[in-house]
Amino acid sequence: MLVYIAGSGAMGCRFGYQISKTDNEVILLDNWDAHIQAIKAEGLIITGDVEDKVKLPIMKPSQATKEADLIILFTKAMQLPQMLKDIQGIIGQETKVLCLLNGLGHEEVIRQYIAEHNILMGVTVWTAGLKGPGHAHLQGVGALNLQSIDPENKEAGHQVVDMLNQAKLFASYDENVLPNIWRKACVNGTMNSTCALLDCTIGELFASQDGVKMVEEIIHEFVTVGKAEGVELKEEEITKYVMDTSVKAAHHYPSMHQDLVQNHRLTEIDYLNGAVNSKGQKLGIDTPYCRLITQLIHAKENILNIK
Ligand code: NAD
């Protein structure tokens, strides 16, 4: 397969690196000049659980010409529409497009650019970080679930699962991926935004009784809105998953803390708590916690003059 990684930041580098160890061809796409120059000059440097350096082709989406078999989307949520416009030149009739971004509502966006029978939606608990241009730091083990949106095209989903498993990415075909996408969004919607606002680790948030009460209210809003949209969500099961995750990740500052507080970058809040609030508004369901958290994060982005 010819696999393009559309958005080769932290996660794109992890997936690109692991797929490069298989028989498949990988091309990284990104528009960050320093990152492109570093990878062209030195190769992609990997540290963490493994130390490695690999030569991988990297270019801007506009420079890619060969038709893709698979494109894995790994931009931040707010960058997705632009990326979908930029990759039109490498999309053929049978090019599959896999979305593994965090957050809600991406399927509707992707449908505007990609034929339904080629769309694969997924969710991953792999993680990755960047130490600087051309340098990915990879720690821990993850997994991912994906599903073909078109039930007639399950076979394509299974082929992608097989390829990802050659890359030791521990992929599974999921007959109903949407609840898992919502569950991960709920983890992000409870911990990322709150820890960014409170400037604390996940463990510090969950050690506070008021912090836990707030988390429970947010979960309730996610589950109420999701269920009203027809997504099969169980509040008790999601609460347990969030609590278990908080124990495993107690010492971490979540990625929104890294984006907003540490690096002054725009956040994905509109695709997490913000998405629940806007979906809730359309459904006539009030979601005061998600609304306030979204407003507070945007206010902080404004105060820091992040654009
Ligand atoms: P990132 O910011 O490190 O990478 C995104 C990359 O996309 C950047 O390098 C950026 O330059 C590039 N990009 C954006 N728009 C582009 C365009 N139009 N053309 C070319 N390049 C473009 O982000 P990340 O941490 O890798 O996260 C990607 C997604 O995966 C997010 O939705 C995130 O929430 C999710 N995710 C991240 C992790 C993690 O541990 N980092 C874990 C699970 C899921």
Side-chain angles (χ1 to χ4, degrees), residues 196-305:
L197 289 167
L198 296 170
D199 193 4
C200 68
T201 63
I202 294 167
E204 285 167 340
L205 173 71
F206 281 77
S208 150
Q209 267 187 14
D210 283 306
V212 172
K213 265 193 215 154
M214 179 172 59
V215 163
E216 286 168 352
E217 298 281 3
I218 299 169
I219 294 173
H220 183 68
E221 291 182 358
F222 267 75
V223 171
T224 308
V225 171
K227 275 181 164 172
E229 279 214 336
V231 186
E232 291 165 30
L233 299 173
K234 295 192 185 89
E235 189 158 339
E236 216 173 290
E237 187 260 328
I238 293 193
T239 304
K240 183 175 180 320
Y241 185 77
V242 168
M243 297 304 167
D244 290 350
T245 307
S246 76
V247 175
K248 283 184 215 149
H251 298 298
H252 289 259
Y253 286 98
S255 58
M256 198 179 290
H257 184 283
Q258 291 166 28
D259 284 338
L260 187 65
V261 183
Q262 299 173 31
N263 297 315
H264 294 190
R265 293 174 63 180
L266 279 178
T267 70
E268 295 181 303
I269 194 70
D270 287 338
Y271 306 86
L272 299 165
N273 308 71
V276 169
N277 182 50
S278 41
K279 285 170 183 292
Q281 273 175 357
K282 283 185 198 134
L283 293 159
I285 299 167
D286 195 22
T287 57
Y289 282 80
C290 283
R291 181 165 59 252
L292 179 61
I293 282 171
T294 306
Q295 288 166 333
L296 286 170
I297 293 282
H298 281 317
K300 187 73 183 170
E301 289 170 342
N302 294 339
I303 290 162
L304 294 170
N305 202 18

Side-chain angles (χ1 to χ4, degrees), residues 76-222:
K76 287 282 168 79
M78 53 285 188
Q79 301 164 331
L80 182 61
Q82 186 61 49
M83 178 59 90
L84 288 162
K85 284 178 202 151
D86 293 348
I87 55 174
Q88 287 303 311
I90 52 169
I91 294 176
Q93 296 254 308
E94 290 307 320
T95 300
K96 303 292 170 276
V97 177
L98 168 61
C99 175
L100 291 172
L101 275 62
N102 279 333
L104 303 172
H106 306 318
E107 189 184 320
E108 290 74 27
V109 175
I110 297 169
R111 279 175 186 274
Q112 294 170 33
Y113 300 90
I114 310 291
E116 178 182 282
H117 77 283
N118 285 329
I119 302 175
L120 308 171
M121 292 303 298
V123 58
T124 181
V125 291
W126 282 101
T127 60
L130 282 181
K131 288 271 183 193
H135 181 172
H137 193 71
L138 309 181
Q139 277 184 313
V141 177
L144 70 100
N145 292 15
L146 66 86
Q147 181 180 24
S148 301
I149 288 313
D150 180 355
E152 301 292 312
N153 211 12
K154 270 190 202 176
E155 188 46 39
H158 283 285
Q159 279 171 13
V160 172
V161 163
D162 290 345
M163 186 281 291
L164 294 171
N165 281 329
Q166 286 169 32
K168 301 192 173 62
L169 283 159
F170 304 116
S172 308
Y173 191 83
D174 193 331
E175 294 291 345
N176 188 15
V177 81
L178 205 49
N180 286 320
I181 291 175
W182 272 76
R183 188 173 68 169
K184 175 85 191 287
C186 193
V187 170
N188 296 139
T190 48
M191 299 173 193
N192 280 25
S193 37
T194 46
C195 289
L197 289 167
L198 296 170
D199 193 4
C200 68
T201 63
I202 294 167
E204 285 167 340
L205 173 71
F206 281 77
S208 150
Q209 267 187 14
D210 283 306
V212 172
K213 265 193 215 154
M214 179 172 59
V215 163
E216 286 168 352
E217 298 281 3
I218 299 169
I219 294 173
H220 183 68
E221 291 182 358
F222 267 75

